[in-house]
Amino acid sequence: MSVEIDGHIYEVVGSCAKYALYYINAYGGWDSLLIEGVTSEADNVTRHSREYDYDNTNATNRGTENYLNEIDKTYSLNTGWMSEESSLRMHHLLNSTMVYMYDFAKAKMIPVVVNNTTTQYKTFKSNQGQALNYTIEVSVAQSRIRR
């Protein structure tokens, strides 16, 4: 399958990827990266509780109540193998302040914040001739509270 844009024909590559990242690059334009490696998802929970006096003769009475949970959903996204040319453009994504993650299975765009604190400029030589890939740590940029 292919698409034509302004007289240029681009081949559309099929993929089993679950996510893609869309971001504003260092030049102010939109770019994207298909996440082809393994991904993992986690919830970081901050629990809020309070203590009560209670009658311990009843086994179902509580002395502690968990009344609120703040949930920070995070993803660990592995890029899959990439060329040196692609690797040297990763700073555009890792340093971006505007990033969205698209979930293909749910057809949903999710605003995220990149949590990586170091941007490596990987080359085959600096990576001892090994294939290049990156792990991108992101968190959902929306508050979630459970009461």
Side-chain angles (χ1 to χ4, degrees), residues 46-52 63-69:
T46 303
R47 298 179 186 278
H48 298 274
S49 59
R50 55 183 158 228
E51 303 291 320
Y52 288 103
T64 303
E65 176 192 22
N66 176 205
Y67 65 90
L68 175 75
N69 292 336

Side-chain angles (χ1 to χ4, degrees), residues 1-129:
M1 185 171 132
S2 61
V3 295
E4 184 176 344
I5 301 172
D6 291 335
H8 295 90
I9 296 175
Y10 299 94
E11 292 298 318
V12 176
V13 178
S15 174
C16 294
K18 184 171 180 186
Y19 301 109
L21 294 175
Y22 294 89
Y23 58 96
I24 294 182
N25 64 32
Y27 304 113
W30 283 97
D31 273 336
S32 63
L33 176 68
L34 192 61
I35 301 299
E36 297 180 298
V38 175
T39 62
S40 62
E41 178 180 349
D43 287 340
N44 298 318
V45 181
T46 303
R47 298 179 186 278
H48 298 274
S49 59
R50 55 183 158 228
E51 303 291 320
Y52 288 103
D53 289 332
Y54 66 102
D55 178 2
N56 65 1
T57 60
N58 182 344
T60 61
N61 286 346
R62 294 178 170 265
T64 303
E65 176 192 22
N66 176 205
Y67 65 90
L68 175 75
N69 292 336
E70 297 174 59
I71 302 167
D72 180 27
K73 180 165 286 298
T74 61
Y75 294 86
S76 183
L77 309 167
N78 292 289
T79 61
W81 306 123
M82 60 177 40
S83 69
E84 188 170 296
E85 179 185 354
S86 295
S87 171
L88 292 174
R89 289 194 309 261
M90 283 298 293
H91 68 95
H92 288 285
L93 167 58
L94 295 173
N95 297 342
S96 181
T97 59
M98 183 67 66
V99 182
Y100 291 88
M101 181 176 74
Y102 186 75
D103 184 330
F104 290 104
K106 296 177 182 174
K108 182 178 179 183
M109 190 69 78
I110 304 164
V112 296
V113 174
V114 176
N115 296 328
N116 298 61
T117 58
T118 301
T119 300
Q120 289 183 290
Y121 292 81
K122 295 180 182 180
T123 63
F124 287 115
K125 185 174 183 179
S126 70
N127 208 37
Q128 289 128 21

